[in-house]
Amino acid sequence: MTEQADVTSPRTRNPWGQGEKLRTEILVAAARLLSELGSEEGLTIRGVARAVGIAPASIYQHFADKAELVRGLVAYDYDLLGARMHAADESVPPEAVVARLRAQMSAYCQFAIDNPGHYRLIYNNRQAVPRERKIDLARSPLGQVVLRIVSAFERCEAAGHELRRPARQAAITVFVGAHGRVALHHAAPEDTESAAGIHSFVDDLISLVFADEV
């Protein structure tokens, strides 16, 4: 059986120079499959190729192997998460700095609730940092998510809201608390009350790191 036999639906070839479009289509299909599978273990090059409507060989032109495809998918997921947090931030009036912070954290939590497979993927594929090297948040996708939250707390300080801890420490506290709360929900996904309580938990946590009423 040839590789082409794995293709279940014909696909119009992208015009010359649109290789990046095919790469994006591959990532979108891989993301859709990941949502259905729930984890990366069942994700295969052939399965993704079948979902796109191309031969597996076409995927190898963009990703050398499954590991590279997964790395691409991790970056894609971080981009989606960042875009949702940015959209949430932009949906609130600029002067409402605390509400903007809450909106970003709500978007973060909702992404985790709606996309458990993707959320596990990005946390199971974090870049290892040697112990002797200082962590540079700006150089990792996860760090950039944290820096978004740091920036949101800094805006709150600049607007006159007093924090119990420095902005960076406050942001990490809220981020770690949100991640832990999401992890508890993912451990018992059938518990609908657990999902409903995530947003209120994170809202309460945010309130606790402010010295004033927010």
Side-chain angles (χ1 to χ4, degrees), residues 37-157:
L37 295 167
S39 71
E40 65 183 278
E41 283 72 22
L43 198 66
T44 66
I45 295 290
R46 288 180 179 275
V48 174
R50 186 180 300 114
V52 180
I54 57 177
S58 297
I59 291 184
Y60 290 119
Q61 295 175 15
H62 298 273
F63 303 97
D65 51 27
K66 177 183 171 179
E68 189 171 320
L69 174 61
V70 168
R71 286 193 294 271
L73 186 53
V74 169
Y76 176 80
D77 279 337
Y78 272 119
D79 285 345
L80 285 179
L81 174 57
R84 291 193 185 187
M85 293 178 72
H86 176 73
D89 183 54
E90 291 287 303
S91 71
V92 180
E95 67 277 7
V97 289
V98 177
R100 290 170 65 187
L101 166 63
R102 293 189 189 279
Q104 285 203 66
M105 290 309 303
S106 178
Y108 173 90
C109 292
Q110 197 60 51
F111 177 88
I113 294 168
D114 293 340
N115 305 279
H118 295 264
Y119 192 75
R120 284 191 292 268
L121 179 74
I122 62 179
Y123 279 96
N124 289 340
N125 288 272
R126 297 192 304 273
Q127 183 178 5
V129 177
R131 287 186 177 182
E132 66 275 9
R133 186 185 303 171
K134 184 178 180 180
I135 297 176
D136 183 357
L137 293 179
R139 296 187 64 181
S140 73
L142 176 60
Q144 290 170 21
V145 171
V146 176
L147 286 177
R148 284 181 177 274
I149 306 170
V150 173
S151 177
F153 273 106
E154 289 174 341
R155 287 198 306 249
C156 292
E157 274 194 313

Side-chain angles (χ1 to χ4, degrees), residues 3 10 15 26 32 54 63 70 89 96 101 115 118 135 172 176 188 190 193 195 212-213:
E3 287 184 331
I26 292 169
R32 186 170 63 250
I54 57 177
F63 303 97
V70 168
D89 183 54
L101 166 63
N115 305 279
H118 295 264
I135 297 176
I172 292 175
V176 172
E190 69 282 353
E193 291 186 6
D212 56 348
E213 291 289 332

Side-chain angles (χ1 to χ4, degrees), residues 160-173:
H161 294 285
E162 184 182 356
L163 298 173
R164 298 184 188 277
R165 294 291 186 272
R168 182 185 175 100
Q169 187 176 345
I172 292 175
T173 298

